[in-house]
Amino acid sequence: MIPITDDELMTYLDGEMTAEDVERLEDALVHDAEARARLATFRSIRRAAAQAFAPAELSAGLAAFAESLDADSPLPDQPGARLRAAPKSRPLGAPREWLAAAAAAAITFGTMIALSPDPAGPAPGSLLATAGDRIVAVAILEHALQSQAAGDRHTSEVRIVTSFIASNGDPCRQFGLLGDQRAGGLACFSNGTWQVEVLASLAPEGAFLPAGLGQDPIAAAAVRLGVRREIGPDEEADLIRREWRAAPAPD
Amino acid sequence: MPKRDDITFRRELASLLPRARRFALVLTRNAAEADDLTQAALERAMVKASLYDPSKRLDTWVFKIMQNHWIDQRRKMARRGTQTGIDALAFTAGEDGRTLMETHDLVRRVAGAIGTLQEEQRAVVALVWIDGFKYQDAADVLGIPVGTVMSRLSRARQNLLARLGEGAAP
């Protein structure tokens, strides 16, 4: 009996064998339990890969881009014409829609970071400090929350994902930490500081987590805070200008 | 008014978006980068629409644009010294969530193992195993001979088995 190779089994699973070779291989497999076991292993791995990478729900930005593709406007006729601004400036609509997007965006976050407030103040390089019973953002995290536009992720180690008004009226922002910190969370502006409502670590590098294997802490925090509405780019720019203070009441 | 063909082309592009994004995710291993790459590739496809040969598969053409754009991006990032972190992937349960939950441990380990493969091996795995491309179509996307697709798949399989270990055999 000629041994059945792994490459033959993979070619068979990939549907790339000729009909003649398929018949020959299947005849041989009937008499080769060891090869059938290898085939079962390869089939399981292949199926697991397909399941792990099942097409995901699109992020809000890409969903908006898909809508723009469906629109009955002409194709851009200039090479390099950019459509990216349109999806980013598109209002996301109902808070529920935003929450779904936030949950999808935040699904990469895994276990909660244990926050250990240091009464002596933040250590050098720390992004958090205690203020009474609250945990507030400091250093580059505070700076980004205060002054960085959502979606602008090439200007610092912090990426602001989105901004919204919570049910109590406070402006809140979802952020991600790039580089070594590999974490993200939600912070809300209250009493002149950015109070961190939740902070979650990213899964370790190389650890790929399928969805549904744990509740996403950032989405859960957004639900707890309540999302009254998303803050659009214009309002966000205005709030950054006013250092996140409420607009003066009209006369 | 846009021509009817333009509208059809754009809608076909829109229908490709979830698959294109999945390919981008395997290439970049970073959800935000995958979104950017997907959008950039489809924008390029729209700009180059007049160059598309309708007798060829649209998905192969778009994926090739994406692959080339990603290579360009990687070169620029390397020149700038920019590094992108590897996200845990934004997977979904797929259509059969029950099946996934029953086998989620294997799914998680296989996904993690794929993430450790070299980029050229991840690309062929994404195209052939995950998206069901034929070897010839994967070769067209990647601009390599069919034999190279097969040898990369073979190495990917060996590396995955080594990474998963004997205990992972289902």
Side-chain angles (χ1 to χ4, degrees), chain A:
Chain A
M1 184 172 67
I2 300 172
I4 298 173
T5 68
D6 287 351
D7 284 342
E8 282 179 301
L9 294 174
M10 286 307 303
T11 309
Y12 172 69
L13 284 178
D14 292 340
E16 296 278 354
M17 268 188 170
T18 63
E20 187 181 341
D21 284 344
V22 166
E23 193 167 345
R24 180 191 56 76
L25 181 73
E26 289 180 344
D27 285 347
L29 281 170
V30 170
H31 305 290
D32 191 338
E34 184 275 330
R36 286 201 304 275
R38 278 186 286 137
L39 181 68
T41 298
F42 297 158
R43 185 177 276 137
S44 293
I45 291 172
R46 214 174 177 284
R47 189 181 296 140
Q51 284 182 338
F53 292 87
E57 186 176 343
L58 297 177
S59 65
L62 274 186
F65 178 63
E67 281 182 28
S68 76
L69 285 173
D70 259 346
D72 289 346
S73 54
L75 285 170
D77 54 5
Q78 295 297 320
R82 306 295 288 169
L83 300 178
R84 193 167 306 240
K88 282 190 175 171
S89 61
R90 173 184 172 272
L92 286 174
R96 182 177 299 178
E97 185 183 349
W98 180 87
L99 274 177
I107 212 159
T108 57
F109 293 93
T111 53
M112 294 285 294
I113 283 179
L115 297 174
S116 49
D118 177 3
S126 171
L127 302 178
L128 305 173
T130 53
D133 59 351
R134 302 186 309 151
I135 296 168
V136 298
V138 295
I140 60 167
L141 179 56
E142 180 187 24
H143 180 72
L145 290 166
Q146 192 75 8
S147 61
Q148 193 170 307
D152 184 358
R153 60 196 185 82
H154 295 295
T155 56
S156 83
E157 293 176 58
V158 180
R159 178 193 180 196
I160 303 298
V161 180
T162 191
S163 308
F164 64 95
I165 299 293
S167 58
N168 67 358
D170 287 343
C172 299
R173 312 192 84 187
Q174 182 187 345
F175 59 89
L177 302 178
L178 309 177
D180 295 338
Q181 299 279 352
R182 302 188 55 73
L186 281 178
C188 297
F189 191 75
S190 175
N191 297 323
T193 57
W194 284 99
Q195 180 168 333
V196 177
E197 301 290 343
V198 64
L199 186 65
S201 68
L202 281 167
E205 193 160 305
F208 287 53
L209 297 177
L213 298 181
Q215 187 182 14
D216 173 67
I218 297 178
V223 170
R224 176 171 53 79
L225 289 165
V227 181
R228 184 183 293 177
R229 61 182 172 80
E230 194 203 15
I231 297 173
D234 292 343
E235 183 184 6
E236 183 186 71
D238 188 46
L239 282 164
I240 290 172
R241 239 185 339 265
R242 288 191 280 109
E243 299 182 330
W244 298 89
R245 314 285 172 184
D251 293 333

Side-chain angles (χ1 to χ4, degrees), chain B residues 110-156:
Chain B
V110 168
I114 289 172
T116 67
L117 294 176
Q118 291 176 3
E119 185 178 316
E120 61 182 27
Q121 292 172 25
R122 288 204 310 277
V124 291
V125 165
L127 293 171
V128 177
W129 290 2
I130 297 174
D131 213 296
F133 275 68
K134 305 301 285 183
Y135 291 167
Q136 181 62 61
D137 293 325
D140 289 345
V141 169
L142 301 172
I144 57 178
V146 169
T148 306
V149 170
M150 295 171 71
S151 61
R152 287 181 184 178
L153 274 177
S154 181
R155 284 198 297 276

Side-chain angles (χ1 to χ4, degrees), chain B residues 29-80:
Chain B
R29 299 180 296 179
N30 180 291
E33 290 291 333
D35 281 358
D36 284 354
L37 177 60
T38 305
Q39 186 166 336
L42 267 68
E43 286 173 3
R44 281 188 168 208
M46 289 172 64
V47 171
K48 293 181 170 184
S50 61
L51 303 177
Y52 170 62
D53 176 358
S55 69
K56 302 282 176 61
R57 284 174 55 160
L58 182 62
D59 56 358
T60 305
W61 186 69
V62 169
F63 281 37
K64 186 177 181 66
I65 290 174
M66 176 178 287
Q67 164 79 8
N68 289 340
H69 186 65
W70 173 240
I71 291 171
D72 288 346
Q73 287 291 104
R74 286 285 306 273
R75 287 180 183 144
K76 286 177 186 169
M77 288 162 68
R79 277 201 296 272
R80 290 197 302 258

